[in-house]
Amino acid sequence: MCDIEEATNQLLDVNLHENQRSVRVTESDLRSESELLVTIGATVPTGFEQTAADEVREKLGSPCKISRDRGKIYFVISLESLAQVHCLRSVDNLFVVVQEFQDYQFKKTKEEVLKDFEDLAGKLPWSNPLKVWKINDSFKKKKAKRKKINQNSSKGKINNGQEVKIDQRNDKKDFTSHALDSHILDYYENPAIREEVSTLVGDDLASCKDETDESSKEETEPQVLKFRVTCNRAGDKHCFTSNEAARDFGGAVQDYFKWKADMTNFDVEVLLNIHDNEVIVGIALTEESLHRRNITHFGPTTLRSTLAYGMLRLCDPLPYDIIVDPMCGTGAIPIEGATEWSDCFHIAGDNNPLAVNRAANNIASLLTKKGKPSWGLPIDAVQWDICNLPLRTGSVDIIVTDLPFGKRIGSKKRNWNLYPACLREMSRVCTPTTGRAVLLTQDTKCFTKALSGMRHVWRKVDTVWVNIGGLRAAVYVLLRTPEAFVHPSEQDGERGTLW
Ligand SMILES: C[S@@+](CC[C@H](N)C(=O)[O-])C[C@H]1O[C@@H](n2cnc3c(N)ncnc32)[C@H](O)[C@@H]1O
């Protein structure tokens, strides 16, 4: 049972000021509404949409629609399953769909389109999605503290005196270099989709007020909800920007609900997702991505736990399997494995003592996390060299690893030696016939060449293309052939006897 599920029994008693009508959600309402069907949208690592859909079908029994907008899935649940949605391992962010327009008819001029967005705000079926949003409050993991407004972000004045922050993710170059400069280190988090994203911003002054001041005010005055609108737009046939859509739609939402716009300390985040002629209005159900779950000690290339989960799922672990990540870095893959496939044994190894230390610390922090069992996790961390693993021949069922891309770690030149050596040693430790490997790399040229020399021991069964921090990378799924491993020195010897 995940942490969030523990909150399931909490009673909610709130006021939602919907068009000045007060909507009270009580325990009895919750009981009668537990059957209510709602559409949930989820962002997932691009390339792993099908994996996420499989997980949803398996754990919630709901079929999924995989969006044209890559990196998103949609599924219908009854409200009582909401807590379980937060326990999914393959999804990053969640939202409840207010309304979906599969073939939205955009008018010809910008003015007309924006006027339509304004009119839309008052026509949408907000009531049930807002109930979901409120009930969700007890399940969602709260951010420790929302960041104050980024002073460096570009701003523009809009009609009603509010401001817009423009985060032009369209510019791939900027986006990638930002990712590489980042010292947050969790650089694999960058969204893959080339979208323009704009957020309607509230009054800076109000949002920067002393928080104690704010809370004492809340005790005496009726609470007005604070909100923001985020517009994600992709497609080249639009005569408006995401900035303009967020501004005009956001202004109308504000007028309709009489909520207060606030960029940083918002209660409700309304999403306006536009992809070509598909428009989806939603309300965010997560404050931060669900991939932030296992790692406390970050490294230079920490993999998102959602991606690690997707990779592990690709190799279909069975009970008692020995699963090895021979280049584990912070241990994101084996730690995700140990928490989700606890009937397998996971080994995390790396040649860098700093990495092994980080992995060990991440395991330790997970063990001491409140509510986690104290008897341990089926995982161990070791320092080793992938080219010479201290493991018996044929003793490993599955290898899942994230190879050095040759950018942040190693170099492309070194990969020409490293990749063939990795594949050879992996083929030695992996069980012939049943062994499998799931390997992530961006250096596909080098990998393909290395694999072509190993066809007798590895058979490629699938390639999943993913986006890692703006870089296109491949996840290769390999099967160990029945051919027994022969050490290169023995091969030479055999050849010698032939001559
Ligand atoms: C892309 S990173 C892995 C990142 C990891 N998935 C994470 O989430 O932190 C590749 C790792 O391979 C390790 N590595 C490079 N050469 C190695 C070798 N010969 N033996 C073992 N590990 C090696 C690096 O130290 C690095 O931690």
Side-chain angles (χ1 to χ4, degrees), residues 264-466:
T264 48
N265 291 309
F266 53 88
D267 305 298
V268 186
E269 182 175 25
V270 177
L271 305 170
L272 179 61
N273 293 337
I274 305 169
H275 186 257
D276 294 330
N277 60 345
E278 180 186 84
V279 174
I280 294 176
V281 179
I283 299 174
L285 299 178
T286 40
E287 270 183 32
E288 67 174 14
S289 172
L290 297 177
H291 81 262
R292 296 176 184 279
R293 49 177 177 250
N294 298 332
I295 305 299
T296 45
H297 296 71
F298 289 87
T301 56
T302 303
L303 199 71
R304 287 157 71 168
S305 297
T306 41
L307 233 153
Y309 175 82
M311 288 174 68
L312 283 153
R313 248 193 105 100
L314 284 178
C315 52
D316 210 4
L318 297 170
Y320 318 119
D321 273 350
I322 302 291
I323 308 179
V324 175
D325 179 351
M327 293 189 274
C328 71
T330 54
I333 297 171
I335 291 174
E336 179 65 19
T339 56
E340 194 58 13
W341 286 272
S342 54
D343 48 7
C344 299
F345 192 77
H346 304 260
I347 308 175
D350 203 288
N351 69 342
N352 184 337
L354 290 174
V356 180
N357 209 23
R358 282 188 199 113
N361 281 327
N362 282 323
I363 297 166
S365 354
L366 209 60
L367 285 172
T368 51
K369 213 169 147 185
K370 212 171 138 245
K372 293 281 169 212
S374 55
W375 55 81
L377 283 168
I379 186 168
D380 216 342
V382 200
Q383 187 180 348
W384 63 28
D385 179 1
I386 176 96
C387 307
N388 189 18
L389 295 172
L391 297 169
R392 278 197 200 137
T393 300
S395 62
V396 171
D397 299 291
I398 295 171
I399 292 176
V400 187
T401 203
D402 168 17
L403 297 154
F405 289 5
K407 284 184 186 278
R408 285 201 147 197
I409 298 215
S411 71
K412 293 240 176 198
K413 198 172 161 207
R414 256 184 279 163
N415 283 350
W416 286 104
N417 290 326
L418 181 67
Y419 282 18
C422 284
L423 284 172
R424 189 179 311 113
E425 185 65 349
M426 287 177 189
S427 75
R428 181 185 69 78
V429 296
C430 227
T431 322
T433 313
T434 54
R436 47 237 189 257
V438 171
L439 311 175
L440 167 69
T441 180
Q442 199 240 336
D443 196 352
T444 51
K445 192 174 160 195
C446 182
F447 187 87
T448 311
K449 178 79 176 42
L451 188 62
S452 69
M454 298 281 159
R455 285 211 194 96
H456 56 298
V457 280
W458 289 118
R459 183 166 66 85
K460 188 176 84 178
V461 287
D462 199 5
T463 308
V464 178
W465 292 97
V466 294

Side-chain angles (χ1 to χ4, degrees), residues 9-35:
N9 301 323
Q10 283 179 22
L11 170 69
L12 293 157
D13 187 9
V14 292
N15 284 320
L16 301 171
H17 297 273
E18 187 182 346
N19 212 7
Q20 295 191 314
R21 279 182 301 121
S22 182
V23 181
R24 207 168 167 77
V25 182
T26 62
E27 197 175 15
S28 59
D29 286 338
L30 286 186
R31 267 196 297 271
S32 62
E33 279 160 4
S34 62
E35 294 301 310

Side-chain angles (χ1 to χ4, degrees), residues 4-218:
I4 300 148
E5 269 180 299
E6 288 163 20
T8 315
N9 301 323
Q10 283 179 22
L11 170 69
L12 293 157
D13 187 9
V14 292
N15 284 320
L16 301 171
H17 297 273
E18 187 182 346
N19 212 7
Q20 295 191 314
R21 279 182 301 121
S22 182
V23 181
R24 207 168 167 77
V25 182
T26 62
E27 197 175 15
S28 59
D29 286 338
L30 286 186
R31 267 196 297 271
S32 62
E33 279 160 4
S34 62
E35 294 301 310
L36 184 75
L37 294 180
V38 288
T39 304
I40 302 293
T43 60
V44 304
T46 47
F48 281 107
E49 294 87 352
Q50 190 55 55
T51 308
D54 291 345
E55 189 195 10
V56 169
R57 198 178 308 109
E58 185 186 294
K59 294 184 178 168
L60 302 172
S62 306
C64 269
K65 185 184 127 191
I66 296 178
S67 164
R68 271 176 287 165
D69 188 352
R70 262 170 68 86
K72 289 195 186 79
I73 59 164
Y74 296 91
F75 50 95
V76 176
I77 55 154
S78 64
L79 202 46
E80 63 190 351
S81 309
L82 190 59
Q84 283 163 270
V85 174
H86 283 268
C87 296
L88 292 170
R89 309 297 289 189
S90 55
V91 302
D92 285 319
N93 284 293
L94 298 166
F95 55 96
V96 54
V97 173
V98 176
Q99 193 155 2
E100 176 186 0
F101 302 89
Q102 295 251 3
D103 189 20
Y104 188 93
Q105 297 299 310
F106 289 105
K107 299 254 172 69
K108 285 227 171 66
T109 68
K110 177 159 84 178
E111 288 67 30
E112 287 173 312
V113 174
L114 296 177
K115 175 74 176 58
D116 278 356
F117 279 142
E118 274 186 50
D119 295 344
L120 187 64
K123 294 181 194 154
L124 293 168
W126 293 102
S127 179
N128 284 339
L130 277 171
K131 280 179 193 161
V132 175
W133 166 80
K134 191 59 222 176
I135 290 163
N136 180 72
D137 214 41
S138 58
F139 305 135
K140 100 178 155 194
K141 205 174 105 196
K142 305 275 177 0
K143 257 190 194 171
K145 200 171 193 295
R146 285 196 189 105
K147 280 190 199 120
K148 292 290 177 198
I149 198 156
N150 177 0
Q151 304 293 347
N152 297 327
S153 55
S154 51
K155 293 175 185 175
K157 282 275 172 202
I158 58 169
N159 301 347
N160 58 4
Q162 289 159 336
E163 290 178 323
V164 280
K165 174 185 165 216
I166 306 158
D167 177 7
Q168 298 287 2
R169 292 185 202 176
N170 251 353
D171 187 334
K172 198 178 173 194
K173 227 165 104 194
D174 261 357
F175 167 49
T176 310
S177 67
H178 169 77
L180 294 177
D181 290 346
S182 164
H183 283 281
I184 297 170
L185 300 176
D186 191 11
Y187 93 114
Y188 281 1
E189 189 193 351
N190 296 301
I193 310 135
R194 296 186 63 197
E195 278 179 341
E196 190 188 39
V197 183
S198 295
T199 306
L200 170 82
V201 181
D203 178 357
D204 280 3
L205 280 174
S207 67
C208 293
K209 267 187 195 162
D210 185 349
E211 278 177 12
T212 48
D213 185 30
E214 195 90 335
S215 57
S216 61
K217 232 174 103 187
E218 275 166 17

